[in-house]
Amino acid sequence: MQNALDYLIDVARSDPAQARRVANFLLAWSNGDDCGHFPIADLFGVDATIATHMTTIIGILGQHEGAIYPDAFARKAEMIELVHRRRDFNND
């Protein structure tokens, strides 16, 4: 799972069109209520390697007893970076 997460974080940090979908997936996993949810149809817009890594994570989450989030894999800083990069939370 660590390899899949690391790969997806690298993609989400990049600028190609797929980065937005990958960031949406990771942020929905991290905090869907605040960061938005991941439309399952977005899997159609990513390449096979990315989809494989996403489904690897989904499969492990489905088998894990209880909730587990990206920061359990020492990726809290990367997730905070993605929030700042991909979400506009105004403090108005």
Side-chain angles (χ1 to χ4, degrees), residues 53-66:
H53 287 303
M54 288 176 163
T55 57
T56 295
I57 289 174
I58 291 168
I60 291 170
L61 294 175
Q63 296 173 5
H64 192 272
E65 190 173 314

Side-chain angles (χ1 to χ4, degrees), residues 62-83:
Q63 296 173 5
H64 192 272
E65 190 173 314
I68 187 168
Y69 298 98
D71 48 329
F73 299 94
R75 293 298 178 257
K76 185 174 183 173
E78 290 86 344
M79 296 308 297
I80 290 170
E81 175 194 339
L82 280 178
V83 169

Side-chain angles (χ1 to χ4, degrees), residues 10 14 24 31 38 58 84 87:
D10 287 344
S14 63
N24 288 346
N31 184 350
F38 178 74
I58 291 168
H84 291 295
R87 297 296 183 264

Side-chain angles (χ1 to χ4, degrees), residues 4 7-8 43 46-59:
Y7 181 85
L8 292 175
L43 282 172
V46 297
D47 67 36
T49 302
I50 292 171
T52 297
H53 287 303
M54 288 176 163
T55 57
T56 295
I57 289 174
I58 291 168

